[in-house]
């Protein structure tokens, strides 16, 4: 692509970027990503196929595990136990690919134009994170609706659903910030995907997303206490259940919020490393 054609393709970005606050810049970049997703509906549908398969297949395949002594499903079905895990896993896996958008912008030269413009570096990160949070909300709602249609019941009601949405969004922000930072440092889609999968899979299996940690080796339960994925799953599962233990919910949401802010800050700092290497 020539510099003239690149300038023509991205000239429409300069007007909204010249003026505006961090919030305006972030909103503009988030809408830009949402428009790109809207033009590729097949991708949006594909991101929902896997969690629905997990939900329906695992929910039936392992539905009798709640009868194992020591498996605490609070008297509910395995589908009800599994649903918060699938919600969080969906947010985790989809946000692990967030950095590929930045790599595409690098390859097309759009990233360099952004960095040369008055757009705020924080907005470059916040815009992608807002986009990831928005898609996570849609995915979470779809998973919950499918679970209810399959027979799950969540006595936690609206409060439980709001907590689940918040936990999923926070995990999405944490993982998307990590993915964006990797993209800026590695600049390779293959390397990004490899490292992301190397991190995502242990986070998933070293948590109570699929199975109660009481049934696993003791060291797995110990690791899960420091695993943000387990924080999100436990907070969501508690909030959706009857007789919610809010003492288990709020500390975990607080830890997720603090980690999300830290990861977003580190991801923003990665822009400086990228610029210095140009």
């Amino acid at each position: 692509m020539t510099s003239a054609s690149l300038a023509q393709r991205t000239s429409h970005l300069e007007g909204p970027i010249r003026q505006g606050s961090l919030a305006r810049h972030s909103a503009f970049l988030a809408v830009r990503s949402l428009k790109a997703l809207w033009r590729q509906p097949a991708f949006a549908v594909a991101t929902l196929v896997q969690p629905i398969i997990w939900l329906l297949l695992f929910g039936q395949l392992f539905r009798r595990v709640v009868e194992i002594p020591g498996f605490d499903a609070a008297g509910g079905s395995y589908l009800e136990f599994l649903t918060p895990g699938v919600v969080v896993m969906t947010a985790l896996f989809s946000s692990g690919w967030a950095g590929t958008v930045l790599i595409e912008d690098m390859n097309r030269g759009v990233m360099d134009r952004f960095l040369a413009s008055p757009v705020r570096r924080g907005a470059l990160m916040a815009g992608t994170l807002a986009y990831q949070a928005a898609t996570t909300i849609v995915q979470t709602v779809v998973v919950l609706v499918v679970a209810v249609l399959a027979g799950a019941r969540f006595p936690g009601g609206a409060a439980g659903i709001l907590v689940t949405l918040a936990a999923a969004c926070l995990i999405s922000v944490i993982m998307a910030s990590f993915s964006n930072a990797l993209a800026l440092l590695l600049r390779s889609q293959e390397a990004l995907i490899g490292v992301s999968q190397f991190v995502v899979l242990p986070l998933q299996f070293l948590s109570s997303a699929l199975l109660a940690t009481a049934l696993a080796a003791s060291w797995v339960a110990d690791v899960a206490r420091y695993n943000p994925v387990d924080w999100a799953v436990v907070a969501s599962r508690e909030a959706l259940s009857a007789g919610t233990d809010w003492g288990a919910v709020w500390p975990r949401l607080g830890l997720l919020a603090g980690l999300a802010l830290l990861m977003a800050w580190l991801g923003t700092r990665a822009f400086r490393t990228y610029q210095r290497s140009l």
Side-chain angles (χ1 to χ4, degrees), residues 84-113:
V86 171
V87 165
V88 174
M89 287 193 303
T90 303
L92 183 69
F93 277 88
S94 61
S95 58
W97 295 74
T100 59
V101 176
L102 296 186
I103 291 176
E104 289 176 1
D105 283 346
M106 293 178 206
N107 293 337
R108 292 185 297 149
V110 176
M111 178 62 72
D112 294 340
R113 284 185 63 83

Side-chain angles (χ1 to χ4, degrees), residues 130-148:
Y131 159 74
Q132 287 296 325
T135 56
T136 295
I137 289 173
V138 174
Q139 291 170 336
T140 300
V141 170
V142 171
V143 170
L144 289 174
V145 169
V146 172
V148 170

Side-chain angles (χ1 to χ4, degrees), residues 155-230:
I161 292 173
L162 289 176
V163 168
T164 302
L165 289 170
C169 286
L170 288 171
I171 275 293
S172 180
V173 167
I174 291 167
M175 193 61 200
S177 298
F178 176 71
S179 180
N180 287 340
L182 285 178
L184 292 166
L185 297 175
L186 301 176
R187 306 187 198 179
S188 167
Q189 188 162 317
E190 292 78 9
L192 169 64
I193 294 172
V195 174
S196 294
Q197 293 301 308
F198 181 78
V199 172
V200 164
L201 289 176
L203 286 175
Q204 172 189 339
F205 289 109
L206 294 175
S207 74
S208 59
L210 300 176
L211 195 67
T213 54
L215 301 180
S218 59
W219 67 267
V220 173
D222 292 337
V223 171
R225 293 192 187 98
Y226 305 97
N227 184 350
V229 172
D230 194 67

Side-chain angles (χ1 to χ4, degrees), residues 71-76 80-85 87-88 144 153-165 167 208-209 212-213 229-253 256:
F71 192 103
D72 183 14
E80 293 164 2
F81 177 90
L82 177 66
T83 300
V87 165
V88 174
L144 289 174
R153 295 295 178 264
F154 304 110
I161 292 173
L162 289 176
V163 168
T164 302
L165 289 170
S208 59
T213 54
V229 172
D230 194 67
W231 301 342
V233 171
V234 172
S236 301
R237 190 172 287 142
E238 277 290 337
L240 289 171
S241 66
T244 301
D245 179 8
W246 292 105
V249 174
W250 296 123
R252 287 174 172 81
L253 286 182
L256 287 169

Side-chain angles (χ1 to χ4, degrees), residues 30-80:
V31 170
R32 169 179 176 261
S33 297
L34 288 170
K35 286 181 178 178
L37 181 63
W38 183 258
R39 289 193 292 268
Q40 300 178 23
F43 176 78
V45 173
T47 62
L48 291 169
V49 171
Q50 189 175 37
I52 291 174
I53 290 176
W54 284 338
L55 192 68
L56 299 180
L57 184 60
F58 287 3
Q60 293 300 311
L61 187 62
F62 300 114
R63 63 189 179 88
R64 308 246 347 234
V65 298
V66 294
E67 300 173 12
I68 298 176
F71 192 103
D72 183 14
S77 67
Y78 180 68
L79 180 62
E80 293 164 2

